[in-house]
């Protein structure tokens, strides 16, 4: 927006760039599990290499789309709402304007519309069947896949080279601008961002099993699922703006907001895994007179603990990046400094903040990678 101005295409590219990186990481992890001896065996009978490679990687790609695509689609819908808070347009801008005018009836109308959109998109996506044994469908999906890639790439190039750049002169003066950001203040912002990430991750990991374990009955589970859905539905900027009407900006308030929103996401995964799990151990422990909470903890949750923590390790990578959004509104951490530097066109400060953010994200991914490897 600082370079190209407010443009609807900016929202598309802003969502695509980080999601391409995340999807590439997921696909790379799937491809690493492939047994390449099959590829070598196919090559020995002089089969076309491209066809052999496509045959080898097709099933992992389709399985990833089925397991990861719906979740990523839901995230992209929520991301469009967040971008609307910056004036890009769409339902997010309407939500933000309704909140600013304190028109809460209109605000809830937009939120329920967003909920219907997420639910309908999920139902439609689940109805799509990827039949890898049907050659016609396989060819169709391959064609759609490559056409989407070509269209997206051409759209990106067209936007980059055929749009008027608003503030290019300020970008070209990157190395001429001076930074007023002191070393002590900069280190304080980094520390705030790290603490914000840790506190939010702790809330997102611990809250779902704690609440489900304490209120372990059918009526409570229905209420928890509804509350978790609302936490996922309401964007983090709306949550923190609501809390800021009653409180002053603080690190704990930002951590609570980000933690609650991500707790709604992790609880969905935990509920899904628990509902599909065999409950024989849980029933057996209850029949022996063990308390219901202890039976749930040892008979159900303990079997899902590793996979749940492995997913939370992946989720913490996203939480680190989301601290920028919360920081902009909550006036904490590097996110707030990034907003201030962009507003004043202090590109040297922007570069320093981005390098710091990237360093925190890389260290976080390395640590989470070690955690996930130890859990699998």
């Amino acid at each position: 927006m600082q370079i190209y101005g407010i443009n609807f295409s900016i929202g598309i590219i802003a969502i695509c760039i980080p999601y391409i990186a995340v999807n590439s990481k997921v696909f790379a992890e799937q491809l690493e599990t492939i047994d390449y001896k099959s590829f070598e065996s196919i090559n020995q009978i002089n089969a076309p290499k491209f066809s052999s490679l496509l045959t080898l990687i097709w099933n992992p790609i389709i399985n990833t789309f089925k397991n990861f695509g719906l979740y990523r689609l839901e995230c992209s819908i929520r991301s469009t709402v967040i971008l609307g808070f910056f004036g890009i347009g769409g339902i997010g801008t309407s939500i933000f304007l309704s909140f600013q005018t304190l028109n809460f009836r209109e605000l809830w109308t937009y939120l329920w519309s967003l909920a219907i959109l997420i639910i309908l998109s999920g139902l439609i996506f689940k109805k799509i069947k990827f039949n890898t044994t049907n050659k016609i469908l396989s060819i169709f999906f391959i064609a759609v896949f490559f056409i989407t890639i070509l269209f997206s790439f051409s759209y990106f190039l067209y936007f980059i080279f055929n749009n008027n750049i608003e503030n290019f002169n300020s970008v070209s003066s990157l190395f001429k601008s001076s930074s007023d950001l002191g070393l002590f203040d900069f280190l304080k912002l980094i520390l705030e961002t790290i603490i914000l990430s840790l506190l939010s991750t702790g809330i997102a990991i611990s809250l779902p099993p704690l609440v489900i374990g304490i209120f372990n009955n059918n009526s409570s589970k229905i209420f928890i699922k509804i509350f978790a859905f609302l936490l996922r539905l309401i964007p983090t900027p709306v949550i923190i703006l609501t809390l800021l009407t009653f409180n002053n900006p603080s690190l704990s308030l930002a951590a609570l907001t980000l933690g609650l929103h991500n707790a709604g996401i992790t609880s969905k995964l935990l509920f899904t895994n628990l509902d599909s799990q065999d409950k024989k151990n849980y029933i057996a422990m209850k029949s022996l007179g063990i308390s219901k909470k202890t039976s749930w903890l040892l008979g159900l949750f303990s079997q899902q603990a590793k996979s749940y923590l492995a997913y939370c390790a992946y989720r913490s990578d996203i939480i680190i990046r989301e601290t920028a959004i919360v920081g902009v509104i909550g006036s904490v951490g590097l996110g707030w400094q990034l907003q201030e530097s962009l507003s004043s066109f202090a590109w040297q400060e922007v570069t320093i903040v981005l390098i710091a953010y990237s360093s925190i994200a890389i260290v976080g991914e390395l640590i989470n990678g070690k955690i996930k490897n130890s859990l699998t």
Side-chain angles (χ1 to χ4, degrees):
M1 287 174 60
Q2 295 293 334
I3 298 173
Y4 289 98
I6 296 177
N7 191 312
F8 187 76
S9 300
I10 284 289
I12 299 174
I13 294 176
I15 293 174
C16 285
I17 290 176
Y19 280 21
I20 287 170
V22 174
N23 291 337
S24 299
K25 179 183 178 182
V26 174
F27 282 127
E29 291 175 352
Q30 291 294 319
L31 293 176
E32 286 175 357
T33 62
I34 293 176
D35 184 9
Y36 289 98
K37 292 181 180 179
S38 303
F39 181 67
E40 295 174 358
S41 301
I42 297 174
N43 278 337
Q44 289 177 358
I45 59 175
N46 295 324
K49 290 186 177 180
F50 179 76
S51 301
S52 303
L53 181 63
L54 191 60
T55 302
L56 190 66
I57 68 174
W58 184 246
N59 281 336
I61 288 177
I62 287 297
N63 290 330
T64 303
F65 269 121
K66 288 193 293 185
N67 299 327
F68 191 70
L70 178 59
Y71 164 73
R72 185 50 58 190
L73 176 64
E74 185 178 329
C75 290
S76 65
I77 294 174
R78 289 198 299 266
S79 297
T80 59
V81 177
I82 294 174
L83 288 177
F85 281 73
F86 297 93
I88 297 295
I91 195 171
T93 301
S94 301
I95 290 173
F96 185 60
L97 292 176
S98 299
F99 187 89
Q100 281 188 322
T101 56
L102 303 179
N103 192 349
F104 293 105
R105 290 185 178 180
E106 188 178 84
L107 173 66
W108 276 107
T109 302
Y110 286 124
L111 288 175
W112 288 125
S113 301
L114 177 64
I116 294 171
L117 178 62
I118 293 174
I119 293 171
L120 286 178
S121 61
L123 293 174
I124 293 171
F125 196 87
K126 287 180 179 179
K127 293 293 182 182
I128 300 175
K129 302 295 183 182
F130 295 95
N131 189 354
T132 56
T133 60
N134 192 318
K135 292 182 178 180
I136 297 176
L137 282 177
S138 297
I139 294 171
F140 173 75
F141 285 129
I142 292 171
V144 171
F145 183 72
F146 282 106
I147 289 172
T148 304
I149 291 175
L150 291 174
F151 176 78
S152 302
F153 187 66
S154 60
Y155 178 84
F156 179 77
L157 292 178
Y158 174 81
F159 176 81
I160 293 296
F161 294 107
N162 290 276
N163 280 274
N164 295 324
I165 298 178
E166 298 287 335
N167 300 305
F168 190 75
N169 291 330
S170 61
V171 180
S172 63
S173 62
L174 171 63
F175 298 102
K176 297 179 183 179
S177 62
S178 58
S179 174
D180 296 329
L181 185 62
L183 179 61
F184 177 77
D185 293 332
F186 182 61
L187 293 176
K188 181 182 177 182
L189 292 174
I190 292 177
L191 182 62
E192 283 184 357
T193 303
I194 295 173
I195 295 174
L196 176 59
S197 303
L198 293 175
L199 290 176
S200 304
T201 302
I203 294 172
I205 294 174
S206 60
L207 191 61
L210 185 64
V211 174
I212 297 171
I214 293 174
F215 304 99
N216 188 20
N217 55 70
N218 293 330
S219 57
S220 297
K221 286 180 181 178
I222 294 173
F223 177 77
I224 293 170
K225 286 182 179 180
I226 295 173
F227 186 67
F229 177 74
L230 290 175
L231 289 176
R232 295 195 305 273
L233 171 67
I234 303 174
T236 48
V238 174
I239 298 175
I240 194 169
L241 283 172
T242 304
L243 294 175
L244 284 173
T245 56
F246 309 102
N247 301 274
N248 294 323
S250 64
L251 184 63
S252 57
L253 189 68
L256 180 64
T257 302
L258 191 55
L260 287 175
H261 177 73
N262 284 276
I265 297 172
T266 54
S267 63
K268 179 183 178 181
L269 174 81
L270 184 58
F271 269 120
T272 302
N273 292 340
L274 290 174
D275 291 341
S276 61
Q277 182 179 310
D278 186 10
K279 298 179 174 59
K280 290 181 179 179
N281 293 338
Y282 172 69
I283 296 172
M285 294 180 71
K286 279 185 64 179
S287 63
L288 293 174
I290 301 174
S291 66
K292 194 173 183 180
K293 295 176 183 178
T294 305
S295 300
W296 179 87
L297 179 63
L298 300 178
L300 286 178
F301 179 70
S302 61
Q303 299 179 41
Q304 296 293 333
K306 283 189 175 182
S307 60
Y308 175 72
L309 291 175
Y311 173 79
C312 289
Y314 157 75
R315 191 69 208 172
S316 63
D317 294 339
I318 300 175
I319 290 174
I320 293 173
R321 293 189 287 271
E322 288 181 342
T323 55
I325 300 171
V326 176
V328 168
I329 301 174
S331 303
V332 293
L334 290 170
W336 173 81
Q337 182 60 48
L338 180 63
Q339 173 71 10
E340 292 293 314
S341 301
L342 283 170
S343 300
S344 58
F345 301 106
W347 295 105
Q348 193 175 60
E349 291 183 5
V350 171
T351 305
I352 295 171
V353 172
L354 289 177
I355 291 173
Y357 246 127
S358 302
S359 302
I360 294 172
I362 290 171
V363 173
E365 285 199 9
L366 291 174
I367 295 173
N368 292 329
K370 295 290 185 181
I371 294 173
K372 284 186 283 188
N373 291 334
S374 64
L375 293 172
T376 55

